[in-house]
Amino acid sequence: MTKKKRNRTRPAGSFEDRLQKFAENARVAARGMPPGREREALMKKARQTEAVMEVSEWLVPRK
């Protein structure tokens, strides 16, 4: 039995940058959809992501 190596690469960009990009992509995708559950779910994810960004700002001290 061989042991799998762990992926030790770091994600591109900062956590805040990745959150911002996710929220923007979710909003753009939602705008292209007809009204309905899927669109509302994407908009909700975008709002939740923006809330996480706000909490992250409170928790991470800036220089």
Side-chain angles (χ1 to χ4, degrees):
M1 180 181 253
T2 60
K3 187 174 181 181
K4 270 188 146 180
K5 285 201 167 200
R6 203 170 132 202
N7 182 6
R8 296 186 185 265
T9 59
R10 291 197 178 249
S14 69
F15 180 63
E16 291 81 12
D17 291 341
R18 289 181 282 136
L19 285 174
Q20 176 106 21
K21 187 173 182 179
F22 178 82
E24 288 174 8
N25 290 342
R27 285 197 188 280
V28 168
R31 286 189 194 116
M33 299 175 84
R37 286 183 178 170
E38 291 180 20
R39 179 181 178 160
E40 290 305 315
L42 277 175
M43 294 300 283
K44 182 177 180 180
K45 284 183 182 183
R47 288 190 302 271
Q48 288 173 337
T49 303
E50 290 166 350
V52 169
M53 289 169 36
E54 288 182 28
V55 171
S56 177
E57 287 179 15
W58 299 339
L59 298 176
V60 178
R62 300 289 174 205
K63 296 177 183 176

